[in-house]
Amino acid sequence: MAVNTTVVAGCPAAMKATSNGVFQGDNPLDFALPLAILQICLVVILTRLLGLLLRPLRQPRVIAEIVGGILLGPSAVGRSHEFLHRVFPAKSLSVLDTLANLGLLFFLFLVGLELDPHSLRRTGKGAMSIAAAGITLPFLLGIGTSYVLRSTISKGVDGPPFLVFMGVALSITAFPVLARILAELKLLTTNVGRMAMSAAAVNDVAAWILLALAIALSGTGNSPLVALWVFLCGSGFVLLCFFTLPPVFRWISLRCADGEPVSELYICATLSTVLAAGFITDLIGIHALFGAFVVGVLVPKDGPLAGALVEKVEDLVSGLFLPLYFVSSGLKTDITTIKGAQSWGLLVLVVVTACFGKIIGTISVALLCKMPFRESLALGFLMNTKGLVELIVLNIGKDRKVLNEQTFAILVLMAIITTFITTPIVMAVYKPAKKQSKSDYTNRTIERQDTNSELRILACFHSVTNIPSILNLIEVSRGTEGKEARGRRLCVYAMHLMELTERSSAIVMVHRARKNGLPFWNKGGKSDSDQIVVAFEAFQQLSRVSIRPMTAISPFSNMHEDVCNSAERKRAAIIILPFHKHQRFDGSLETTRADFRWVNQKVLEQPPCSVGILVDRGLGGGSHICASNVSSTITVFFFGGRDDREALAYGRRMAEHPGITLNVVRFLPSSDMGVESTVVDIDQTILTEFKEKKTEDESVRYEERAVGKGSEAVEVIKEFSRCHLILVGQAPEGPVFESLHLKINAEFSELGPVGGLLTSPELSTAASVLVVQQFRGPLVPSPSTSTAMVLPEDVE
């Protein structure tokens, strides 16, 4: 009995779940639930602050989370025993580890959920060879390094498991982290980005297989047959899931209608299956994470089920529970154990070996695949990215006594260093060249001498709700049909503007940016992106307009660079941007998202061509109108200046469409204004040519109105605002406009005075408004390199 009492006394006392409150004498930190809440809040706040500090360095969030965990551990703040005893006492670690692993389990379910196993067969030989080299050489060097560590700081560890764990630790490439780095650097659709993503996905799958082998070898059974039984049972579990789960998930998917919420029963059943699979793999002796990952891989990617699961699980898991895993890992990491020249020398050896194996192995095969040296070098550093899977491997090795504290700390630092250096080195060694020089880019405006030259439009949109108005605007921009049309006169690049957030999973980003969704992502899903592509492809088949869908994925802070660089690369004459407000059912305008206004303002500051902001009030009735059914009235208000001339030039082109009637209203000073009717020579020339052509075209009406004050101009605008679309200049010029003293509405400053007036609630109109700013030049070179992602083909 004495022995039993001693053992019990040496164990931490069990914690009750909730306290009775401080007023009844309880300390909340002595109870599991309030302590867990404090730990979660502390972890989330610290990792978010570190993420903000590292953002200027363009580091992925995983770096902030790993460093945050280490700072809370015995390496930094945790050196204070008082802090460690109060906030992370030993008796709370079981609760902390349970929450962390539960969050990790569901996170890996999400990773598997977005991976398409069938597409592995479509991987190119080059990517497969690079992946094989990027795994084999580091794995072999890891085995060699393990002998050095076993003879120095890791004496007495079990040999075979240690060899495999070291090989896996050095050969892993963090696929999600790599995707985010490529997206941040705008390299996803470059040759380097495509090759890196393909090779990293193969590497990720191979790493999980090797990790399963390492876990099987690290069992504590006395018989060597135990490891064999673990591996065989694990393989049998995977085969069982492969044959039984897909039919069940397909049955569920067939009962989930598109556009309808997925039944709660199906969500709960799927998540329960994830937990059950985790229990079985843990029972086998592999790890609960494997079961969750396998279930995620087998969930069908088409239909609303997969999207609903991501939507329900991702924010809670990624935002709250997953950071706990990094703290759990940080509490095991004690950098102070790395002492003396020998330990620091071993750290340098591990880092150099990891970098050498990945970079040299990748570069060698990439050069054999005839990739340029700079691209091969950048690819080598990209493949050296570590992340969450690396941390999982190390923690499993630590828990199974394969890695001691010093070796564990060295390998964690190796993961941080190799990932930290990736972004700056890739930025330094690889800068994609632009496809054409600026001398080839001449038609930067709609107003031009050769009106028969091809018109290129970059039409941007935020969501599927913008598609009908964009298509109707493209329809009326087609111009003349029949024999008068000379070849393909209109080319439209339709760019989907999407925010790159921390919430966006790497796989979703790649799916939206990869060419045809291959080689690793299923294109069968009916997502918004698929609907958009289908809509534009259908319009292109029904018209003679060339439409090329594109996707720009970037933070709002530099989204304007993507827009401007894409317009320059595609040699667009005008950029069409949607207004940041949309119309409600009662006719008022409601803010869609204020960040889009900031993007519009930045594009207007230094655009490579003309810019138009479209205030959509249901242009064409909210659905695409066939060419034969188009019957619209368009009005241009002309005061004077280059912006008004650009709006007039666009209106003239629209008037060539057989279903368009164009009204041009020119404002002149009244006799009592005391202002001379002076007209800029170029304005007069344009108006004279327009009036001459107007006599030949009955669909064009030209009218001059004399106004003496601002209120009279407003009345004229109200009179002619009963139409479908109004075109105005962003900054009208001339003595007439200046004498009217029209004020710019601060709420709509980017629309200019007339556009702001037409958008304000004081002037009631059902017409959509296109505010045009003509290209002014000269351009200030943009520091950004690559631009947007093109689907389905990146051609000029």
Side-chain angles (χ1 to χ4, degrees):
M1 291 298 295
V3 175
N4 291 340
T5 303
T6 304
V7 173
V8 173
C11 297
M15 299 180 73
K16 291 184 179 180
T18 58
S19 71
N20 294 318
V22 292
F23 295 108
Q24 299 190 41
D26 285 349
N27 182 356
L29 297 185
D30 292 334
F31 297 84
L33 180 61
L35 183 58
I37 292 174
L38 175 65
Q39 292 170 343
I40 292 174
C41 293
L42 180 63
V43 171
V44 171
I45 292 172
L46 179 61
T47 54
R48 296 290 175 171
L49 287 176
L50 288 173
L52 290 175
L53 293 176
L54 292 173
R55 184 172 296 174
L57 301 177
R58 305 180 81 168
Q59 293 297 323
R61 195 174 75 179
V62 68
I63 292 290
E65 290 171 329
I66 296 176
V67 172
I70 293 175
L71 291 179
L72 291 174
S75 302
V77 181
R79 292 181 67 83
S80 168
H81 294 288
E82 180 67 20
F83 171 82
L84 213 57
H85 176 72
R86 287 292 180 185
V87 182
F88 295 102
K91 58 186 177 181
S92 73
L93 295 184
S94 60
V95 177
L96 177 67
D97 286 343
T98 300
L99 290 175
N101 280 279
L102 187 64
L104 184 64
L105 182 141
F106 280 110
F107 181 79
L108 289 177
F109 164 68
L110 293 177
V111 173
L113 184 67
E114 294 162 330
L115 182 65
D116 181 12
H118 300 291
S119 55
L120 287 172
R121 297 192 301 265
R122 299 192 290 267
T123 305
K125 293 181 179 179
M128 192 68 76
S129 302
I130 290 174
I135 295 172
T136 305
L137 184 57
F139 190 87
L140 295 176
L141 291 177
I143 293 176
T145 306
S146 67
Y147 284 103
V148 178
L149 295 177
R150 283 188 66 196
S151 63
T152 51
I153 61 174
S154 297
K155 296 179 180 179
V157 298
D158 194 6
F162 185 65
L163 299 182
V164 178
F165 267 100
M166 283 298 300
V168 174
L170 267 63
S171 61
I172 283 178
T173 296
F175 177 75
V177 179
L178 175 62
R180 177 158 294 279
I181 291 176
L182 290 172
E184 287 281 357
L185 299 181
K186 305 187 189 304
L187 298 177
L188 271 174
T189 54
T190 62
N191 186 37
V192 169
R194 287 191 290 266
M195 191 67 76
M197 292 307 301
S198 300
V202 176
N203 189 298
D204 215 27
V205 174
W208 281 104
I209 297 173
L210 291 173
L211 179 58
L213 176 62
I215 293 175
L217 291 174
S218 62
T220 57
N222 296 322
S223 172
L225 291 177
V226 172
L228 179 61
W229 276 113
V230 169
F231 191 77
L232 290 177
C233 289
S235 303
F237 168 77
V238 172
L239 292 175
L240 179 65
C241 291
F242 182 80
F243 287 108
T244 58
L245 290 183
V248 176
F249 286 133
R250 282 196 295 269
W251 181 85
I252 294 176
S253 296
L254 292 175
R255 280 151 183 78
C256 297
D258 289 323
E260 298 292 333
V262 178
S263 171
E264 181 187 3
L265 175 63
Y266 297 146
I267 298 293
C268 292
T270 305
L271 297 181
S272 298
T273 304
V274 174
L275 293 174
F279 174 79
I280 293 173
T281 50
D282 190 81
L283 182 68
I284 292 173
I286 306 177
H287 200 287
L289 306 179
F290 283 92
F293 179 76
V294 170
V295 173
V297 170
L298 297 178
V299 172
K301 309 307 181 284
D302 52 340
L305 178 61
L309 288 167
V310 172
E311 184 179 352
K312 299 287 186 183
V313 177
E314 184 177 33
D315 285 343
L316 179 65
V317 169
S318 301
L320 292 181
F321 291 125
L322 190 61
L324 290 179
Y325 187 79
F326 293 98
V327 173
S328 176
S329 174
L331 292 173
K332 303 172 188 174
T333 307
D334 189 359
I335 297 178
T336 59
T337 59
I338 306 177
K339 299 177 181 178
Q342 183 189 65
S343 296
W344 288 105
L346 290 173
L347 172 62
V348 173
L349 173 66
V350 171
V351 172
V352 172
T353 303
C355 295
F356 181 85
K358 273 288 184 185
I359 296 170
I360 298 301
T362 301
I363 289 177
S364 302
V365 179
L367 290 175
L368 291 177
C369 294
K370 300 182 179 179
M371 287 183 66
F373 177 74
R374 282 185 175 272
E375 292 187 5
S376 303
L377 184 62
L379 183 61
F381 279 99
L382 287 168
M383 294 295 293
N384 199 34
T385 305
K386 311 295 182 186
L388 179 61
V389 179
E390 173 81 6
L391 219 58
I392 293 172
V393 172
L394 299 182
N395 275 277
I396 293 175
K398 180 78 160 54
D399 294 339
R400 300 206 168 216
K401 312 298 183 184
V402 177
L403 305 176
N404 61 23
E405 287 191 3
Q406 194 170 353
T407 306
F408 181 79
I410 287 175
L411 292 175
V412 170
L413 286 181
M414 178 271 294
I416 295 175
I417 294 170
T418 54
T419 305
F420 189 88
I421 65 175
T422 298
T423 299
I425 291 181
V426 171
M427 291 177 64
V429 303
Y430 181 64
K431 297 178 180 179
K434 294 187 176 181
K435 291 187 175 181
Q436 82 282 335
S437 63
K438 291 183 180 179
S439 60
D440 300 329
Y441 189 10
T442 55
N443 292 325
R444 298 177 183 265
T445 62
I446 296 178
E447 181 188 9
R448 59 186 68 172
Q449 293 182 348
D450 184 10
T451 57
N452 288 320
S453 59
E454 181 186 54
L455 175 63
R456 295 191 172 200
I457 298 176
L458 178 65
C460 302
F461 58 94
H462 305 149
S463 65
V464 291
T465 56
N466 302 131
I467 300 300
S469 58
I470 290 292
L471 290 179
N472 289 326
L473 183 64
I474 295 171
E475 174 63 39
V476 299
S477 303
R478 287 169 56 185
T480 306
E481 294 185 346
K483 296 181 179 179
E484 298 181 15
R486 300 183 181 180
R488 189 180 61 183
R489 298 194 55 212
L490 180 62
C491 179
V492 178
Y493 297 92
M495 175 180 282
H496 191 182
L497 302 180
M498 305 181 66
E499 182 190 11
L500 175 63
T501 64
E502 295 294 344
R503 182 182 185 275
S504 300
S505 59
I507 291 85
V508 171
M509 291 187 297
V510 176
H511 171 72
R512 288 165 176 164
R514 292 294 299 275
K515 193 173 184 179
N516 292 327
L518 301 177
F520 280 95
W521 314 112
N522 193 327
K523 204 186 175 204
K526 298 180 181 178
S527 62
D528 283 354
S529 300
D530 297 325
Q531 295 176 26
I532 290 167
V533 172
V534 169
F536 284 120
E537 287 178 349
F539 178 80
Q540 183 173 243
Q541 292 175 0
L542 295 173
S543 66
R544 60 182 176 83
V545 179
S546 173
I547 300 183
R548 299 165 191 184
M550 307 170 68
T551 304
I553 307 173
S554 58
F556 280 118
S557 59
N558 59 18
M559 187 176 288
H560 63 283
E561 296 178 3
D562 277 354
V563 175
C564 294
N565 289 334
S566 293
E568 183 172 356
R569 186 158 59 94
K570 301 302 180 183
R571 301 195 293 274
I574 187 170
I575 300 170
I576 303 296
L577 297 168
F579 192 48
H580 69 280
K581 294 191 174 188
H582 64 275
Q583 188 178 35
R584 298 174 58 181
F585 290 108
D586 60 1
S588 61
L589 293 175
E590 182 181 42
T591 300
T592 305
R593 186 162 181 179
D595 299 289
F596 285 118
R597 183 191 183 195
W598 188 87
V599 174
N600 292 351
Q601 291 173 332
K602 296 298 290 184
V603 172
L604 286 169
E605 287 179 6
Q606 291 183 342
C609 60
S610 296
V611 180
I613 298 180
L614 177 63
V615 182
D616 180 27
R617 288 195 175 99
L619 180 61
S623 61
H624 172 233
I625 302 175
C626 296
S628 58
N629 296 330
V630 172
S631 179
S632 302
T633 302
I634 297 175
T635 301
V636 178
F637 294 121
F638 189 91
F639 289 91
R642 62 173 67 193
D643 290 352
D644 281 17
R645 293 197 303 270
E646 187 75 356
L648 180 61
Y650 201 178
R652 284 177 58 183
R653 181 180 180 90
M654 292 180 177
E656 295 175 1
H657 193 288
I660 296 299
T661 299
L662 176 66
N663 294 326
V664 178
V665 181
R666 179 189 178 190
F667 290 87
L668 296 174
S670 62
S671 57
D672 57 349
M673 284 184 66
V675 177
E676 296 184 5
S677 181
T678 57
V679 181
V680 180
D681 291 341
I682 190 169
D683 285 351
Q684 187 62 53
T685 303
I686 295 296
L687 290 171
T688 302
E689 292 178 0
F690 177 79
K691 285 188 286 187
E692 290 176 355
K693 291 187 177 181
K694 172 252 178 186
T695 57
E696 304 172 0
D697 191 348
E698 296 179 355
S699 65
V700 178
R701 302 169 187 169
Y702 175 81
E703 189 166 344
E704 295 180 348
R705 288 295 183 93
V707 292
K709 51 186 177 180
S711 59
E712 294 179 3
V714 171
E715 290 301 320
V716 174
I717 290 173
K718 287 182 178 179
E719 178 184 347
F720 285 91
S721 63
R722 297 182 182 88
C723 58
H724 298 91
L725 178 65
I726 300 174
L727 280 80
V728 296
Q730 195 266 350
E733 303 172 15
V736 179
F737 174 76
E738 293 171 0
S739 62
L740 294 178
H741 304 292
L742 292 177
K743 296 181 180 179
I744 298 178
N745 190 335
E747 187 180 0
F748 312 121
S749 57
E750 66 272 25
L751 301 181
V754 182
L757 175 65
L758 289 166
T759 311
S760 64
E762 288 78 12
L763 195 148
S764 178
T765 177
S768 298
V769 181
L770 183 63
V771 181
V772 181
Q773 173 186 284
Q774 190 179 67
F775 169 70
R776 286 164 170 74
L779 284 175
V780 177
S782 172
S784 184
T785 54
S786 180
T787 55
M789 286 60 83
V790 181
L791 293 173
E793 55 180 354
D794 186 8
V795 293
E796 285 300 322

